[in-house]
Amino acid sequence: MKPIPNDYRIRSQMPLILLSLLLICLSTSNLQAQQDSPFPLELSSLNNFEYAFPEGDTLRNITKPVFLGEETFIARLKQRAESLEFDQSKDNEPRPPLGIVLCGGSARAYAHIGVLKTLEKAGIYPDFIVASSMGAIVGMLYAAGYSPQDIEFLIQALPLESFFTPVIPTNGGLINTEMFRAILRKIIGRLDVSETAIPIIITAEDLKSRQQIWIAEGPFDLVMASAFAMPAVFEPQTFDQFILIDAGATTIAPVEPALQFSNRLVISTAFYNRAMNFSSPVTVINRSVDIGKTRAGMAGIERSKALVIRNDVENLSYMQFTDPDIIIKKGEISAQNALEQLDLISRQELENAPPSGLLELRSKMHENLNKTIRDLQSGQQPSTSFTLRGIPILRLFDPFTLMPGETGTEARIGASLSFSYSKFKSDLSYFNALYPDPGKVWAIETALRVNPIDSLNVWLTTRLWGDYTPTSILSHNTEYWEIAGRTSWIKVYEEKKIGFQAGGDIFLKMDFSIANWQTCAFFHTAIPRKYKKFGPPIQPWYTANLGGFAENSVGLQNAAGLYGSLQGGFDSKWVSPKFRAFSKVSLNNQEFMESKYDGFRSSAARKAVTSNLITNVEIPFSPHELYLDISEALLLKGFELAPFFDMRWNSTSDESFHMDNWAAGLSFSFEARAFGLAPATMTFYASYSGSKIITLQFRAGMLLPE
């Protein structure tokens, strides 16, 4: 028998070999499937199971957003597309609209202003905007027609902390935004979101339905207040049937609404990525919330395939509202770096003409903005709607603040019921004096403030003062009525400020006899600190007061004289010398009432005098960009370390004018801000006087205010 050729054997076994390879592949794939899914899901009866939600179950809608003003928004986008017939891609098809997404981030969202500056310089204008949280403040002002430069000017001229009022939390939040909305209406007017120069969508969350709300229509001021209503901090806003809070509670980047209309997007972020101390429960809670909203935001960003501008603000505090210039500059640089990474074709894809009429509108709005800001800085009160709020009283004295008709400079703690309507505001309060005079411990107060015309403000106040006894809180050793009134007129011309104030107090015993009275009036002028990025290395400033006074106290005759103060200095990067001079001189050689807080930083005893002059010299060292963030709830900044030298000069009726005493020492002060609100200034100082007395003291309030 002839041997069988090897190639034949191979050919004859080929079917068996192929079958074996097929079986190996099948087993391998099955193994892989088992590795991917350890359970044989194809055998499960759950594959054919579908849960039937009960009729009317609101959970079925929780993932579905509600779009308010959708039809109008789409119509405006179509109108914009028709006006840009030349805007076509290389295949001669119209390009999708260009959308800009502005993320939340509290103070860090100021970076969006710098981003918008850079984009406009590159010829990039949005067809529509989507924004949430603090990004909505920048986005809505920009959509209304303001230039990035005007938005920057606005937030520097009117600090945000002046817009908000702490309240007793009966409406779901610690801070009321009624004044913010009133000021916004004065700046913008009664604009509807559907009428902005650039179409915009604002995202918020509804507490009732738990749905996300996309807002493209409604009152401008209400929509903006809803956008940044941080849970538990700001009061939720009622809008139609919704109760709205900040959408930043669920996602930091509102990308989803933008993806409904375009894949041609620019996303400006303001993430928070600082190293934190997780031993604080407040920090743990904040980070727990941040995990979810950042994860959701990143999922949307990755799905968008957009140009992402990751602003270099991640190590800044979200409460750093006092440094807008620093944050804005970081936004400019971040946007420029992002654009430089694009190739020429990609950059050209982003170029977009400004909306029709936008530049002309900006010119008109710029003029109106300047006038409105001057009015507000001059003390003009915007009209508010009817509000009735419970307001906590926690006022720490400022030792150098002289308020005519306001003799009570003691710290106060209590509660007030406040009513406001239009330009009227009234309060009914009960409070305790933490640093009381004899016979002044508690008070019941009624107050009325009126802004009848322009920059004229009038205050009328009555107080019933009492002193506690060990037996009853309503029992008192002494009590009297205080009736006070004052008026103020201030006018701002560019950087200069002039004003006039007058007022008086009268104290009546319970038999209506006069215990004491005082009155004063003075003129005020100031050139405040100049905030210029590029300016002279030394920037001087000063404030001056000059006026007269008359007063009478038990055991003293009527005294009349002059009051004057001068403060000034100059600002530089590290050293900002300051000085202050205070004088109160009797012109009729009668003893006047002693000032409790005259700026002499020593506990050395003072003599009864008819003339009094205090001079203060300080040279503070201020690391301007240094700050401490405590548990993401308390921001400490504005640190100053200052050696000082105080001198006290006086004379009596039979004595020549001479230096009575001096005090030298060191002062340390800083500003404390909670949740970005107005700061409380804390000052510690140590001094040694000519009387050989060492004084260590803490005061709430600047010793040398500006």
Side-chain angles (χ1 to χ4, degrees):
M1 182 179 293
K2 294 182 180 178
I4 301 174
N6 290 333
D7 61 339
Y8 175 81
R9 292 177 180 174
I10 294 174
R11 286 196 303 270
S12 63
Q13 295 176 9
M14 185 62 70
L16 182 61
I17 294 173
L18 293 176
L19 181 61
S20 300
L21 290 174
L22 180 61
L23 291 174
I24 293 172
C25 290
L26 290 174
S27 63
T28 304
S29 64
N30 186 55
L31 178 62
Q32 183 65 40
Q34 290 182 359
Q35 290 176 345
D36 293 340
S37 180
F39 302 103
L41 298 180
E42 68 276 11
L43 301 179
S44 174
S45 61
L46 291 176
N47 286 345
N48 300 318
F49 181 80
E50 182 178 354
Y51 179 74
F53 281 83
E55 189 67 27
D57 194 332
T58 57
L59 283 176
R60 296 191 298 180
N61 300 322
I62 199 170
T63 61
K64 302 175 183 177
V66 177
F67 197 161
L68 303 179
E70 181 178 9
E71 293 182 2
T72 303
F73 182 84
I74 294 174
R76 296 184 68 195
L77 273 189
K78 290 181 178 179
Q79 185 180 7
R80 167 68 169 165
E82 292 172 356
S83 67
L84 294 176
E85 296 179 354
F86 61 89
D87 188 9
Q88 296 180 338
S89 61
K90 55 186 178 181
D91 57 359
N92 212 31
E93 291 292 329
R95 291 187 294 185
L98 175 64
I100 290 184
V101 179
L102 303 180
C103 303
S106 296
R108 298 185 304 275
Y110 284 157
H112 301 323
I113 302 173
V115 170
L116 294 172
K117 279 185 178 182
T118 300
L119 293 179
E120 287 197 357
K121 290 179 182 177
I124 301 171
Y125 292 83
D127 297 314
F128 70 96
I129 301 169
V130 178
S132 69
S133 195
M134 269 296 296
I137 292 182
V138 176
M140 291 184 70
L141 291 173
Y142 186 72
Y146 286 112
S147 67
Q149 291 77 11
D150 276 346
I151 300 173
E152 180 178 10
F153 170 64
L154 174 61
I155 63 174
Q156 289 180 333
L158 299 175
L160 278 179
E161 64 260 21
S162 63
F163 293 174
F164 305 117
T165 305
V167 294
I168 298 172
T170 57
N171 286 339
L174 297 169
I175 300 173
N176 175 249
T177 58
E178 180 61 31
M179 181 54 67
F180 169 84
R181 291 178 58 186
I183 292 175
L184 194 61
R185 287 194 297 270
K186 186 171 180 61
I187 295 172
I188 299 291
R190 294 190 178 274
L191 181 68
D192 194 276
V193 176
S194 62
E195 301 169 344
T196 55
I198 303 172
I200 186 170
I201 298 174
I202 299 300
T203 62
E205 297 287 345
D206 178 33
L207 290 177
K208 293 171 63 178
S209 68
R210 291 175 287 182
Q211 292 174 276
Q212 190 169 92
I213 313 299
W214 300 351
I215 309 172
E217 65 180 10
F220 194 93
D221 60 302
L222 176 56
V223 174
M224 185 180 288
S226 302
F228 66 79
M230 184 187 301
V233 178
F234 294 98
E235 293 179 335
Q237 302 296 308
T238 301
F239 184 30
D240 290 341
Q241 74 269 31
F242 309 108
I243 301 177
L244 301 180
I245 61 169
D246 186 347
T250 57
T251 179
I252 199 169
V255 179
E256 292 301 325
L259 289 174
Q260 303 299 312
F261 300 99
S262 182
N263 59 359
R264 185 168 164 239
L265 301 175
V266 177
I267 302 174
S268 179
T269 71
F271 290 120
Y272 191 40
N273 199 30
R274 302 177 62 204
M276 291 181 288
N277 178 13
F278 295 111
S279 61
S280 167
V282 177
T283 305
V284 172
I285 293 172
N286 287 337
R287 175 50 65 93
S288 300
V289 175
D290 182 70
I291 289 173
K293 66 183 186 181
T294 302
R295 184 178 295 156
M298 282 303 303
I301 289 174
E302 291 176 348
R303 188 163 56 255
S304 69
K305 307 299 181 182
L307 169 64
V308 178
I309 300 173
R310 188 169 177 178
N311 290 299
D312 184 24
V313 295
E314 299 184 15
N315 290 319
L316 299 178
S317 170
Y318 77 94
M319 295 182 293
Q320 216 164 329
F321 293 100
T322 55
D323 299 313
D325 53 338
I326 297 174
I327 301 173
I328 292 170
K329 190 62 180 178
K330 286 182 176 290
E332 290 185 58
I333 297 172
S334 299
Q336 186 61 46
N337 292 337
L339 290 177
E340 289 175 353
Q341 295 176 13
L342 298 177
D343 56 44
L344 180 60
I345 296 177
S346 299
R347 188 159 176 168
Q348 289 176 343
E349 283 291 319
L350 293 176
E351 293 177 0
N352 223 32
S356 178
L358 176 64
L359 302 183
E360 293 80 1
L361 176 63
R362 283 182 176 180
S363 179
K364 296 178 181 178
M365 297 184 71
H366 175 77
E367 296 178 3
N368 180 67
L369 180 65
N370 286 335
K371 180 183 181 303
T372 303
I373 288 179
R374 286 197 302 269
D375 291 343
L376 292 171
Q377 290 176 333
S378 298
Q380 204 176 105
Q381 295 294 301
S383 295
T384 58
S385 57
F386 173 82
T387 55
L388 186 63
R389 290 283 187 272
I391 299 177
I393 298 174
L394 181 58
R395 195 182 80 183
L396 303 176
F397 65 83
D398 187 334
F400 285 167
T401 298
L402 176 62
M403 302 294 288
E406 182 71 65
T407 61
T409 55
E410 61 280 310
R412 301 174 181 179
I413 184 170
S416 176
L417 192 64
S418 177
F419 161 81
S420 61
Y421 178 73
S422 186
K423 295 188 176 184
F424 294 84
K425 182 180 180 182
S426 63
D427 298 276
L428 176 62
S429 311
Y430 175 86
F431 61 84
N432 279 260
L434 299 181
Y435 300 95
D437 289 334
K440 289 174 62 177
V441 176
W442 59 264
I444 298 174
E445 175 187 275
T446 60
L448 175 66
R449 177 179 181 175
V450 185
N451 177 214
I453 54 172
D454 294 335
S455 306
L456 180 67
N457 286 277
V458 181
W459 293 260
L460 297 172
T461 305
T462 62
R463 301 185 187 98
L464 174 63
W465 286 97
D467 196 358
Y468 298 131
T469 69
T471 58
S472 171
I473 193 172
L474 295 179
S475 301
H476 44 78
N477 298 320
T478 60
E479 62 179 15
Y480 51 87
W481 288 96
E482 178 186 5
I483 303 173
R486 61 186 174 97
T487 184
S488 163
W489 177 85
I490 302 173
K491 201 69 178 177
V492 177
Y493 299 96
E494 296 180 351
E495 296 179 333
K496 301 178 178 65
K497 181 187 293 185
I498 62 172
F500 170 81
Q501 294 192 52
D505 271 0
I506 184 170
F507 295 87
L508 302 174
K509 299 178 181 178
M510 297 311 295
D511 61 0
F512 294 101
S513 61
I514 297 177
N516 59 62
W517 59 267
Q518 68 173 4
T519 183
C520 63
F522 62 88
F523 289 95
H524 172 83
T525 182
I527 298 180
R529 178 181 298 180
K530 301 176 182 179
Y531 297 94
K532 292 183 177 179
K533 186 64 180 178
F534 302 101
I538 296 178
Q539 300 179 14
W541 61 271
Y542 80 89
T543 62
N545 296 294
L546 178 64
F549 73 92
E551 60 188 33
N552 175 274
S553 184
V554 177
L556 303 175
Q557 298 182 11
N558 294 342
L562 296 176
Y563 159 85
S565 69
L566 179 66
Q567 302 177 61
F570 65 85
D571 294 332
S572 61
K573 186 175 182 180
W574 288 97
V575 183
S576 302
K578 303 176 185 178
F579 69 90
R580 179 179 187 273
F582 172 87
S583 178
K584 188 175 182 181
V585 182
S586 175
L587 299 181
N588 60 350
N589 291 324
Q590 299 296 324
E591 185 178 350
F592 53 74
M593 287 185 282
E594 185 179 83
S595 175
K596 292 173 62 177
Y597 312 112
D598 59 8
F600 187 71
R601 282 164 280 192
S602 174
S603 58
R606 290 178 288 189
K607 300 178 180 178
V609 297
T610 57
S611 63
N612 189 334
L613 174 66
I614 306 292
T615 58
N616 313 87
V617 179
E618 286 189 347
I619 304 179
F621 296 84
S622 305
H624 295 302
E625 297 187 14
L626 176 65
Y627 70 91
L628 296 175
D629 187 353
I630 302 176
S631 299
E632 300 183 87
L634 184 65
L635 182 69
L636 307 181
K637 63 171 304 182
F639 295 95
E640 281 191 354
L641 184 65
F644 63 84
F645 188 69
D646 299 339
M647 293 166 284
R648 185 171 65 200
W649 311 75
N650 61 46
S651 70
T652 60
S653 57
D654 59 348
E655 205 175 59
S656 59
F657 198 77
H658 68 284
M659 186 171 72
D660 174 67
N661 208 340
W662 57 267
L666 192 66
S667 170
F668 174 71
S669 64
F670 58 88
E671 295 179 348
R673 298 171 180 266
F675 302 107
L677 294 176
T681 303
M682 311 295 175
T683 301
F684 302 83
Y685 70 84
S687 71
Y688 181 79
S689 71
S691 305
K692 300 181 180 180
I693 294 177
I694 297 175
T695 302
L696 301 174
Q697 196 167 25
F698 161 77
R699 287 183 175 179
M702 287 291 291
L703 292 175
L704 300 178
E706 301 172 14

